[in-house]
C-alpha cells in the first residue's frame, strides 16, 4: 500500500502518548475484505494495557478539563486540518481494510472530519443558565461540566466517522477518551490517533486499544468506575449487553444501534427523485450502513413503474475492488456478513419473492454480492424483520396511508425512515406518525454533523452531531449561592 505519509500505517496501540505492543506480544491480522489478503498485523491489546489506558485518561482528565474551550478548540481545529491534508492516505487505508469504494472513503474522511470541525466550535457554547431566584438572599445557576473519562466502542462500517462523531464532542468539552475500534478496521483508528498526536493533544487525552478480544476490553470499560461514560455504536444485541454490564457503575450511555429503515413512495411522488433517493439510501457502502433502507413500500398505482426504473439503476451498479476508481459496490466485510445476506435472499425467494435483479453472490470477488432487487415480497419473509446490511432491495406494495404507516412502524427498531410525496398535509401527517429518530422527506441522504443523529426504541438513545451531541458528554451542576443580603443594613 503506497501511502504519501507511511507513518499513517500503525501497528501498535496508542496508550498514554506512547505506541505500544501487547504485553503478551500478541498480534492479530487485518484482512482486505476484497482480496482476503492480510494487509498487516496489529498489536492485540488486552486488559492490562486497557487498564493503563484508563489510568492515563483519568490522570489526563484533571488537566485537559482545565484547558479553556478555546484552547481545546485550537487543537481540534489542527486535527481537522490534518485529516483533510491526509485525506487520500486515510481513504486508501479505509478502502483496504473496510472495502468501501475509494470515492466513498474520501467522502467519509470529509464527513468524519466535519464532526471535528463542528465540535471545535460547539465546545465553546456549552452554555449554562442563570435562574431567577425564588429567595432574596440567594442566586441560582446551572453550569455544564465534562462528565469525565469516556469509553468509545465503534463499528467497522464507518471506521473514521463513528470515532470522530463520539470523540470530537467529548474532547471539545474537556473529557478524555479510550477508544476500542472494531477488530476489522483498526488501521483507520490508529491513523486518527497518529494525527491527533501531531495536532498536539497531550498524552493520555486520547487512547486507542486495538484488539480482537472485544468482550474482554468491553468488560473492563463497563465495570471500571473511572469510566463515567460509554458511547457505543454497533448492533442492538451488543448494545443491550453493554447496557446491562454498565448498570453496576451507573454509567451515562449513548447507544447508536441497529436499524430497519422503511422507504415509502406515495402515488404522487416524483419518481425520478424517488429512484435517486432509493439508490443512495440503499446501496451506500454496499448497503452496510445503519440508516440504509431495509424495506421499500411503494404505492400500488406506481409499483410496476418504480420496480422497472429501479431495476435499471441497480443493474448498472459496478461491483468490485474498492480501490478501482469506478467501483460502486465493494465487498461485504466478512464471510458471516455475506452468508447472512445469502440466507435472507434465499428465504425470501423460497417464500415467493420475485428476483428482478441479482439474487446471489457476484463473481467480482469472494465476498461480493450482486446488487439485488426483489419484488412481490411480504412480511412472512425474514428480511422484513432483520437488518439485511447488504445490497438487497425488497419492494413491498401498499394501498393506503394508514396501512403503510402501520407496516413501517411494525418493527422494534426506530433509527431512520424515508418517504417521498408531494401533498403537504400528508408530509406533516407521515413525518409525525413515523416512529423513528430521523426521517428523510423527499431525500435518501440525511446524515450531517450539524443535525442530531440517533434512534428510538431498540435503535438506542443519545444523539451524535448538532448541539445535542455535546450534551451527551456534559453533566449539569446546580449552584445555589446564599448569603447575598447586605448584613450591614438592619431590616
Ligand atoms: N446507529 C448507528 O449510528 C450505527 C452506525 C453503524 C453501525 N450500526 C449498527 O452496527 C451493526 C454492524 O456493526 P457490527 O457488526 O460491527 O456490530 P457489533 O455490535 O458486532 O460490533 C460493534 C463494536 O462492538 C464491539 N463488540 C462486539 N461485541 C462486544 C462485546 N461483547 N463487548 C464489547 N464490545 C463488543 C465490536 O468489536 C465492535 O467494535 C449493525 O446493526 C448496524 O446497524 C449502527
Ligand atoms: O452506519 C452508520 C452511519 O451512522 C451511517 S452515516 O454515514 O452516519 O449515515
Amino acid at each position: 500500500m503506497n501511502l504519501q505519509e507511511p507513518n499513517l500505517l500503525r501497528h501498535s496501540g496508542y496508550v498514554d502518548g506512547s505506541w505500544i505492543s501487547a504485553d503478551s506480544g500478541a498480534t492479530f491480522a487485518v484482512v482486505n475484505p476484497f482480496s482476503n489478503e492480510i494487509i498487516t498485523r496489529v498489536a492485540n491489546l488486552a486488559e492490562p494495557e486497557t487498564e493503563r489506558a484508563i489510568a492515563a485518561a483519568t490522570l489526563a482528565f484533571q488537566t485537559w478539563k482545565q484547558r479553556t474551550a478555546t484552547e481545546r478548540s485550537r487543537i481540534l481545529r489542527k486535527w481537522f486540518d490534518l485529516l483533510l491534508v491526509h485525506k487520500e492516505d486515510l481513504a486508501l487505508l479505509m478502502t483496504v481494510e473496510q472495502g468501501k469504494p475509494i470515492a466513498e472513503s474520501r467522502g467519509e474522511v470529509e464527513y468524519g472530519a466535519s464532526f471535528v470541525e463542528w465540535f471545535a466550535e460547539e465546545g465553546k457554547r456549552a452554555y449554562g443558565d442563570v435562574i431567577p431566584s425564588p429567595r432574596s438572599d440567594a442566586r441560582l445557576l446551572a453550569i455544564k461540566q465534562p462528565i469525565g473519562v469516556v469509553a468509545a466502542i465503534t463499528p467497522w462500517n464507518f471506521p473514521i466517522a463513528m470515532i470522530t462523531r463520539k470523540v470530537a464532542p467529548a474532547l471539545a468539552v474537556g473529557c478524555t477518551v479510550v477508544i476500542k475500534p472494531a477488530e476489522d478496521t483498526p488501521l483507520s483508528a490508529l491513523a486518527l490517533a497518529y494525527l491527533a498526536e501531531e495536532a498536539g493533544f497531550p498524552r493520555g487525552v486520547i487512547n486507542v486499544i486495538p484488539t480482537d478480544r472485544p468482550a474482554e476490553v468491553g468488560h473492563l470499560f463497563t465495570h471500571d468506575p473511572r469510566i463515567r461514560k460509554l458511547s457505543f455504536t454497533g448492533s442492538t444485541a451488543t448494545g443491550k449487553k453493554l447496557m446491562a454490564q454498565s448498570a453496576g457503575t451507573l454509567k451515562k450511555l449513548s447507544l447508536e444501534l441497529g436499524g430497519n429503515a422503511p422507504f415509502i413512495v406515495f402515488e404522487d411522488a416524483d419518481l425520478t427523485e424517488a429512484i435517486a433517493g432509493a439508490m443512495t439510501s440503499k446501496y451506500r457502502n454496499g448497503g452496510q450502513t445503519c440508516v440504509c433502507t431495509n424495506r421499500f413500500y411503494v404505492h400500488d398505482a406506481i409499483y410496476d413503474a418504480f420496480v422497472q426504473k429501479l431495476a435499471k439503476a441497480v443493474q448498472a451498479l459496478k461491483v468490485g475492488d474498492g480501490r478501482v476508481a469506478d467501483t460502486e459496490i465493494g465487498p461485504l466485510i466478512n464471510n458471516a456478513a455475506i452468508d447472512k445476506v445469502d440466507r435472507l435472499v434465499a428465504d425470501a425467494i423460497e417464500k415467493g419473492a420475485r428476483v428482478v435483479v441479482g439474487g446471489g453472490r457476484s463473481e467480482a470477488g469472494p465476498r461480493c454480492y450482486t446488487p439485488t432487487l426483489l419484488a412481490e415480497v411480504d412480511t412472512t419473509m425474514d428480511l422484513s424483520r432483520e437488518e439485511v446490511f447488504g445490497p438487497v432491495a425488497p419492494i413491498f406494495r401498499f394501498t393506503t396511508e394508514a396501512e403503510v404507516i402501520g407496516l413501517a412502524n411494525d418493527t422494534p427498531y426506530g433509527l431512520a425512515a424515508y418517504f417521498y410525496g408531494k401533498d403537504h398535509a400528508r408530509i406533516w401527517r407521515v413525518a409525525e406518525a413515523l416512529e423513528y429518530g430521523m426521517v428523510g422527506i423527499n431525500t435518501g441522504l440525511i446524515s450531517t454533523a450539524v443535525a442530531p443523529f440517533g434512534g428510538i426504541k431498540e435503535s438506542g438513545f443519545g444523539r451524535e452531531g448538532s448541539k445535542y451531541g455535546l450534551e451527551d458528554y456534559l453533566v449539569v451542576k446546580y449552584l445555589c449561592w446564599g448569603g447575598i443580603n447586605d448584613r450591614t443594613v438592619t431590616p
Side-chain angles (χ1 to χ4, degrees), residues 363-391:
E363 293 178 357
R367 292 176 181 157
C368 291
Y369 202 84
T370 306
T372 290
L373 195 161
L374 300 174
E376 309 313 335
V377 295
D378 61 44
T379 55
T380 66
M381 300 166 188
D382 292 349
L383 53 63
S384 67
R385 291 178 301 281
E386 285 187 55
E387 188 178 34
V388 175
F389 235 56

Short mmCIF file of all heavy atoms in Angstrom, two decimals, residues 363-391:
data_model
loop_
_atom_site.label_atom_id
_atom_site.label_comp_id
_atom_site.label_asym_id
_atom_site.label_seq_id
_atom_site.Cartn_x
_atom_site.Cartn_y
_atom_site.Cartn_z
N GLU A 363 -19.40 -12.71 -9.03
CA GLU A 363 -18.10 -13.31 -9.40
C GLU A 363 -16.97 -12.28 -9.29
O GLU A 363 -15.81 -12.58 -9.49
CB GLU A 363 -18.17 -13.88 -10.82
CG GLU A 363 -19.12 -15.07 -10.93
CD GLU A 363 -19.23 -15.60 -12.37
OE1 GLU A 363 -18.59 -14.96 -13.26
OE2 GLU A 363 -19.94 -16.59 -12.59
N ALA A 364 -17.33 -11.05 -8.90
CA ALA A 364 -16.32 -9.99 -8.83
C ALA A 364 -15.33 -10.22 -7.71
O ALA A 364 -14.21 -9.69 -7.71
CB ALA A 364 -17.00 -8.64 -8.64
N GLY A 365 -15.74 -11.01 -6.70
CA GLY A 365 -14.83 -11.26 -5.57
C GLY A 365 -15.48 -12.19 -4.57
O GLY A 365 -16.71 -12.32 -4.56
N PRO A 366 -14.67 -12.83 -3.70
CA PRO A 366 -15.20 -13.87 -2.80
C PRO A 366 -16.22 -13.37 -1.80
O PRO A 366 -17.04 -14.14 -1.32
CB PRO A 366 -13.95 -14.38 -2.09
CG PRO A 366 -12.91 -13.31 -2.26
CD PRO A 366 -13.21 -12.65 -3.55
N ARG A 367 -16.20 -12.03 -1.49
CA ARG A 367 -17.21 -11.52 -0.56
C ARG A 367 -18.09 -10.46 -1.24
O ARG A 367 -18.69 -9.63 -0.56
CB ARG A 367 -16.51 -10.90 0.67
CG ARG A 367 -15.81 -11.94 1.51
CD ARG A 367 -15.06 -11.31 2.66
NE ARG A 367 -14.36 -12.29 3.46
CZ ARG A 367 -13.31 -12.00 4.22
NH1 ARG A 367 -12.84 -10.76 4.23
NH2 ARG A 367 -12.71 -12.92 4.94
N CYS A 368 -18.17 -10.56 -2.57
CA CYS A 368 -19.01 -9.61 -3.30
C CYS A 368 -20.38 -10.20 -3.55
O CYS A 368 -20.51 -11.38 -3.87
CB CYS A 368 -18.36 -9.25 -4.64
SG CYS A 368 -16.86 -8.26 -4.44
N TYR A 369 -21.41 -9.36 -3.38
CA TYR A 369 -22.77 -9.81 -3.59
C TYR A 369 -23.40 -8.95 -4.69
O TYR A 369 -23.24 -7.72 -4.69
CB TYR A 369 -23.60 -9.68 -2.30
CG TYR A 369 -24.81 -10.58 -2.29
CD1 TYR A 369 -24.72 -11.91 -1.91
CD2 TYR A 369 -26.04 -10.11 -2.73
CE1 TYR A 369 -25.83 -12.75 -1.92
CE2 TYR A 369 -27.16 -10.93 -2.76
CZ TYR A 369 -27.05 -12.26 -2.35
OH TYR A 369 -28.14 -13.08 -2.40
N THR A 370 -24.09 -9.59 -5.61
CA THR A 370 -24.68 -8.85 -6.73
C THR A 370 -25.79 -7.93 -6.22
O THR A 370 -26.68 -8.38 -5.49
CB THR A 370 -25.29 -9.83 -7.75
OG1 THR A 370 -24.30 -10.77 -8.14
CG2 THR A 370 -25.80 -9.08 -8.97
N PRO A 371 -25.75 -6.64 -6.55
CA PRO A 371 -26.85 -5.75 -6.16
C PRO A 371 -28.18 -6.37 -6.59
O PRO A 371 -28.34 -6.76 -7.74
CB PRO A 371 -26.56 -4.46 -6.90
CG PRO A 371 -25.07 -4.47 -7.09
CD PRO A 371 -24.71 -5.92 -7.30
N THR A 372 -29.08 -6.50 -5.63
CA THR A 372 -30.28 -7.32 -5.81
C THR A 372 -31.54 -6.51 -5.58
O THR A 372 -31.59 -5.62 -4.72
CB THR A 372 -30.21 -8.51 -4.83
OG1 THR A 372 -29.16 -9.39 -5.28
CG2 THR A 372 -31.52 -9.29 -4.77
N LEU A 373 -32.56 -6.82 -6.39
CA LEU A 373 -33.87 -6.20 -6.24
C LEU A 373 -34.91 -7.31 -6.23
O LEU A 373 -34.95 -8.14 -7.15
CB LEU A 373 -34.14 -5.23 -7.39
CG LEU A 373 -35.28 -4.22 -7.23
CD1 LEU A 373 -35.12 -3.07 -8.23
CD2 LEU A 373 -36.64 -4.86 -7.44
N LEU A 374 -35.72 -7.37 -5.16
CA LEU A 374 -36.73 -8.42 -5.02
C LEU A 374 -38.11 -7.77 -5.05
O LEU A 374 -38.36 -6.81 -4.30
CB LEU A 374 -36.54 -9.17 -3.71
CG LEU A 374 -35.20 -9.88 -3.51
CD1 LEU A 374 -35.12 -10.46 -2.08
CD2 LEU A 374 -34.97 -10.97 -4.54
N ALA A 375 -39.04 -8.30 -5.86
CA ALA A 375 -40.41 -7.79 -5.90
C ALA A 375 -41.34 -8.81 -5.28
O ALA A 375 -40.94 -9.93 -4.97
CB ALA A 375 -40.80 -7.51 -7.35
N GLU A 376 -42.60 -8.36 -5.10
CA GLU A 376 -43.63 -9.25 -4.54
C GLU A 376 -43.17 -9.89 -3.23
O GLU A 376 -43.30 -11.09 -3.03
CB GLU A 376 -44.02 -10.32 -5.56
CG GLU A 376 -44.38 -9.81 -6.94
CD GLU A 376 -45.35 -8.61 -6.93
OE1 GLU A 376 -46.12 -8.44 -5.95
OE2 GLU A 376 -45.30 -7.83 -7.88
N VAL A 377 -42.55 -9.09 -2.37
CA VAL A 377 -42.13 -9.59 -1.06
C VAL A 377 -43.25 -9.33 -0.05
O VAL A 377 -44.14 -8.51 -0.28
CB VAL A 377 -40.83 -8.93 -0.58
CG1 VAL A 377 -39.67 -9.32 -1.49
CG2 VAL A 377 -40.98 -7.42 -0.51
N ASP A 378 -43.22 -10.06 1.07
CA ASP A 378 -44.25 -9.87 2.09
C ASP A 378 -43.67 -10.06 3.48
O ASP A 378 -42.50 -10.42 3.62
CB ASP A 378 -45.44 -10.82 1.85
CG ASP A 378 -45.02 -12.29 1.93
OD1 ASP A 378 -44.26 -12.65 2.87
OD2 ASP A 378 -45.42 -13.06 1.05
N THR A 379 -44.49 -9.86 4.47
CA THR A 379 -44.00 -9.83 5.86
C THR A 379 -43.72 -11.22 6.42
O THR A 379 -43.26 -11.33 7.56
CB THR A 379 -45.03 -9.12 6.77
OG1 THR A 379 -46.29 -9.78 6.62
CG2 THR A 379 -45.16 -7.66 6.41
N THR A 380 -43.96 -12.27 5.64
CA THR A 380 -43.57 -13.61 6.13
C THR A 380 -42.07 -13.83 5.97
O THR A 380 -41.49 -14.74 6.53
CB THR A 380 -44.30 -14.72 5.34
OG1 THR A 380 -43.82 -14.69 3.98
CG2 THR A 380 -45.80 -14.52 5.40
N MET A 381 -41.43 -12.97 5.17
CA MET A 381 -40.01 -13.15 4.85
C MET A 381 -39.12 -12.52 5.92
O MET A 381 -39.39 -11.42 6.41
CB MET A 381 -39.73 -12.54 3.47
CG MET A 381 -40.57 -13.20 2.38
SD MET A 381 -40.56 -12.25 0.85
CE MET A 381 -41.80 -13.18 -0.08
N ASP A 382 -38.04 -13.22 6.26
CA ASP A 382 -37.17 -12.77 7.36
C ASP A 382 -36.60 -11.37 7.11
O ASP A 382 -36.39 -10.59 8.04
CB ASP A 382 -36.02 -13.77 7.56
CG ASP A 382 -36.51 -15.11 8.10
OD1 ASP A 382 -37.69 -15.18 8.52
OD2 ASP A 382 -35.72 -16.08 8.09
N LEU A 383 -36.36 -11.03 5.82
CA LEU A 383 -35.74 -9.74 5.55
C LEU A 383 -36.66 -8.56 5.85
O LEU A 383 -36.21 -7.40 5.84
CB LEU A 383 -35.20 -9.66 4.12
CG LEU A 383 -36.07 -9.97 2.92
CD1 LEU A 383 -37.25 -9.06 2.73
CD2 LEU A 383 -35.25 -10.04 1.69
N SER A 384 -37.92 -8.86 6.13
CA SER A 384 -38.81 -7.74 6.51
C SER A 384 -38.60 -7.36 7.97
O SER A 384 -38.99 -6.27 8.39
CB SER A 384 -40.27 -8.15 6.30
OG SER A 384 -40.65 -9.18 7.21
N ARG A 385 -37.91 -8.26 8.71
CA ARG A 385 -37.71 -8.00 10.14
C ARG A 385 -36.23 -7.85 10.50
O ARG A 385 -35.88 -7.14 11.42
CB ARG A 385 -38.30 -9.15 10.97
CG ARG A 385 -39.82 -9.25 10.93
CD ARG A 385 -40.32 -10.43 11.74
NE ARG A 385 -39.79 -11.71 11.24
CZ ARG A 385 -40.28 -12.33 10.15
NH1 ARG A 385 -41.26 -11.78 9.46
NH2 ARG A 385 -39.76 -13.48 9.73
N GLU A 386 -35.36 -8.54 9.73
CA GLU A 386 -33.92 -8.50 10.05
C GLU A 386 -33.21 -7.43 9.22
O GLU A 386 -33.54 -7.23 8.04
CB GLU A 386 -33.28 -9.87 9.74
CG GLU A 386 -33.60 -10.95 10.74
CD GLU A 386 -32.77 -12.21 10.44
OE1 GLU A 386 -31.52 -12.11 10.36
OE2 GLU A 386 -33.39 -13.26 10.25
N GLU A 387 -32.22 -6.81 9.80
CA GLU A 387 -31.39 -5.81 9.10
C GLU A 387 -30.51 -6.55 8.11
O GLU A 387 -29.65 -7.34 8.50
CB GLU A 387 -30.54 -5.08 10.14
CG GLU A 387 -29.77 -3.92 9.64
CD GLU A 387 -29.00 -3.26 10.78
OE1 GLU A 387 -28.55 -3.96 11.70
OE2 GLU A 387 -28.87 -2.03 10.74
N VAL A 388 -30.73 -6.33 6.81
CA VAL A 388 -30.00 -7.09 5.77
C VAL A 388 -28.52 -6.75 5.78
O VAL A 388 -27.66 -7.63 5.72
CB VAL A 388 -30.60 -6.82 4.37
CG1 VAL A 388 -29.76 -7.51 3.29
CG2 VAL A 388 -32.05 -7.27 4.31
N PHE A 389 -28.22 -5.47 5.89
CA PHE A 389 -26.82 -5.00 5.89
C PHE A 389 -26.07 -5.51 4.65
O PHE A 389 -24.96 -6.04 4.72
CB PHE A 389 -26.09 -5.40 7.16
CG PHE A 389 -25.49 -4.20 7.86
CD1 PHE A 389 -26.27 -3.13 8.21
CD2 PHE A 389 -24.13 -4.14 8.14
CE1 PHE A 389 -25.73 -2.02 8.84
CE2 PHE A 389 -23.57 -3.04 8.76
CZ PHE A 389 -24.36 -1.97 9.11
N GLY A 390 -26.75 -5.36 3.49
CA GLY A 390 -26.16 -5.76 2.22
C GLY A 390 -26.93 -5.14 1.08
O GLY A 390 -27.98 -4.52 1.30
N PRO A 391 -26.46 -5.32 -0.17
CA PRO A 391 -27.05 -4.59 -1.32
C PRO A 391 -28.32 -5.22 -1.86
O PRO A 391 -28.40 -5.58 -3.04
CB PRO A 391 -25.92 -4.66 -2.35
CG PRO A 391 -25.24 -5.96 -2.07
CD PRO A 391 -25.32 -6.15 -0.57
#
